[in-house]
Amino acid sequence: MAESKTGWVVDSGLAERSRFKAYNKKHPNEYAACFVNLDVVMALLNQFGGVKGFQLGFFRSEGKNVYRIGQTGVKHAKETRLFIHVDESNRCVRILTIGDKDSQPEDLRRCHEVAKNLKGEG
Amino acid sequence: MSTIEPMAKLAADLAGDDSVAQRVCEQEVNTRFIRMLIGLRISKKLTQRQLAPRMGVSSSKICRMEALRDDQLNWGDVVKYTNALGVNMSVLVDDPSLPAAERIKHHVLTTHALLEQLRALTEKTAEGEALTAKITEFYGDVLFNFLAGFSDSFSKLPQSGPIQIPFGVQKPGAETAAANGAELCAH
C-alpha cells in the first residue's frame, strides 16, 4: 500500500497485475499518463476529503464507487481507462484494472463485482 | 522533492518494469503547467461548464485543453483561461545562461514589487488595522524564510567574514530597512 501525500492511501492489492503488465507493454505512454492523473486525483482527494469537491475531464464515475481515470497529454493516444474504487470511509483508493475502450464493458463488470464484494465485507 | 515518486514506483511495480517510473516522472513534468491551471480552476470551485462562458468557449474545448501537454497549449487559450479565473499571470523568463548574481537581483526586485503590492492594499481597503497586522505578520514570515535560506547558504561559503552592505548605492530607506531586518533577526 503506497501512501500518497497525507491521509488518503492507494491500495494495489486488488489490482489485476497481468493486465497492468500487458497494457504497459502495448501503450507505455498512456499507462504512465494514467498514473500521473491518479496522482492528481489523490492530491484532490486529500484537499477535498472526497470526490464531491472537484470535477476533472479525465475522472468519471462509473457507479458503485468505481471511477475511471483516462490518459491526458499523450499525442495520438489510445483511449485508456484506469479503474479505481474510491472508499471515502477508509480514505482509500483501490487500483483495480486498466484497459481500453474495447475492453471497457468487461472491465467495468469485473470492477463492479469487486466493489460489490467490498461493500459486502464492509 | 517531487511528490510523484511514490506513484511512479507503484506504476513500475504493477507493470513489473522499473523504467516505467522514469516515464511517469517525465509525463508529470510535461503536464505540470496545465495541471497547475486545473488546480487553480478547482481551487476557485469552478467546473469546466462554469468556466466555459467566462472564456467564451464550449466546455468541451476546456476539456480538450486540460487534456493537452504543456507544449501543446495555445498561448491565447492560456490567457483566456487565467483571465476567466480572475488571476494575474506573470511570465518569468529565467535564462540559466545568465550569471546567478543577475538572476538573484531579478528575483529580489520582483519580490520587492510584490511586497509593494501588498503594502498598497493597506491603503485601499477599509479593513484597516486587521489587514495591516496580517500583512505585517506575513512580512515577518517572508523575512524569516529569506534569512533562514540566506544564512544557510552564507554559512557554507568558505572563510565567510562579515557581510559588507553597500549602503552608499542603495535607494533612500534601505538603511532603515536593513536596520529593521536586523532588529527582527534579533527577535
Side-chain angles (χ1 to χ4, degrees):
Chain A
M1 192 178 282
E3 188 158 347
S4 177
K5 303 182 179 81
T6 56
W8 281 75
V9 293
V10 183
D11 182 357
S12 59
L14 296 173
E16 297 178 330
R17 286 178 176 259
S18 59
R19 297 290 304 275
F20 284 85
K21 280 182 188 173
Y23 205 88
N24 176 55
K25 276 187 185 164
K26 277 201 290 186
H27 305 292
N29 293 328
E30 288 86 341
Y31 180 92
C34 283
F35 279 89
V36 172
N37 287 344
L38 173 58
D39 197 59
V40 172
V41 169
M42 293 306 295
L44 292 169
L45 286 172
N46 278 310
Q47 187 179 337
F48 291 98
V51 294
K52 292 278 193 293
F54 59 93
Q55 179 249 335
L56 293 163
F58 58 75
F59 183 62
R60 297 284 167 89
S61 170
E62 295 286 0
K64 299 180 183 174
N65 296 325
V66 173
Y67 289 79
R68 74 165 199 246
I69 293 173
Q71 91 297 329
T72 55
V74 180
K75 282 179 186 170
H76 313 299
K78 178 81 173 171
E79 284 294 324
T80 300
R81 282 90 170 88
L82 169 65
F83 290 94
I84 60 170
H85 177 261
V86 178
D87 181 350
E88 292 195 351
S89 54
N90 292 308
R91 295 171 71 83
C92 176
V93 166
R94 297 183 183 90
I95 297 177
L96 303 177
T97 194
I98 193 166
D100 57 25
K101 274 170 101 169
D102 298 331
S103 66
Q104 186 171 342
E106 179 57 23
D107 290 339
L108 197 52
R109 189 193 61 74
R110 289 200 312 281
C111 290
H112 281 158
E113 206 162 295
V114 172
K116 194 175 153 190
N117 292 337
L118 285 167
K119 198 177 177 187
E121 284 172 16
Chain B
M1 183 189 128
S2 168
T3 55
I4 194 71
E5 283 168 19
M7 192 60 76
K9 283 180 186 166
L10 178 63
D13 176 54
L14 284 169
D17 177 357
D18 290 342
S19 70
V20 169
Q22 179 65 26
R23 200 174 299 120
V24 171
C25 292
E26 284 169 8
Q27 175 71 11
E28 190 266 343
V29 169
N30 291 337
T31 54
R32 195 169 282 174
F33 182 70
I34 187 63
R35 284 184 293 105
M36 184 272 293
L37 289 182
I38 294 169
L40 269 177
R41 172 177 64 75
I42 290 170
S43 70
K44 299 269 181 185
K45 298 184 171 33
L46 286 170
T47 63
Q48 291 172 340
R49 195 166 288 178
Q50 289 165 327
L51 188 65
R54 294 186 185 196
M55 278 179 72
V57 299
S58 66
S59 56
S60 59
K61 159 85 180 177
I62 297 178
C63 190
R64 285 198 302 276
M65 179 185 165
E66 290 185 353
L68 294 173
R69 288 160 51 119
D70 293 348
D71 62 2
Q72 297 172 306
L73 285 169
N74 175 299
W75 177 249
D77 290 339
V78 171
V79 172
K80 278 186 194 170
Y81 194 100
T82 51
N83 284 344
L85 289 176
V87 297
N88 294 326
M89 184 171 61
S90 59
V91 176
L92 170 65
V93 180
D94 187 24
D95 183 352
S97 68
L98 284 175
E102 286 301 317
R103 296 163 72 197
I104 290 169
K105 275 183 196 172
H106 175 81
H107 286 288
V108 169
L109 291 172
T110 307
T111 306
H112 179 236
L114 291 170
L115 288 172
E116 279 296 289
Q117 277 183 29
L118 267 184
R119 185 194 56 75
L121 278 179
T122 62
E123 294 170 357
K124 287 178 188 167
T125 64
E127 288 181 54
E129 288 181 12
L131 181 67
T132 304
K134 277 184 189 168
I135 290 177
T136 305
E137 188 183 339
F138 179 73
Y139 267 53
D141 289 345
V142 172
L143 183 63
F144 177 82
N145 287 322
F146 172 77
L147 286 174
F150 180 89
S151 168
D152 176 58
S153 297
F154 185 72
S155 67
K156 292 173 189 165
L157 283 175
Q159 299 172 343
S160 56
I163 301 174
Q164 302 295 320
I165 300 176
F167 283 121
V169 294
Q170 295 292 314
K171 287 192 287 187
E175 288 182 44
T176 318
N180 285 343
E183 189 182 343
L184 276 166
C185 293
H187 291 285

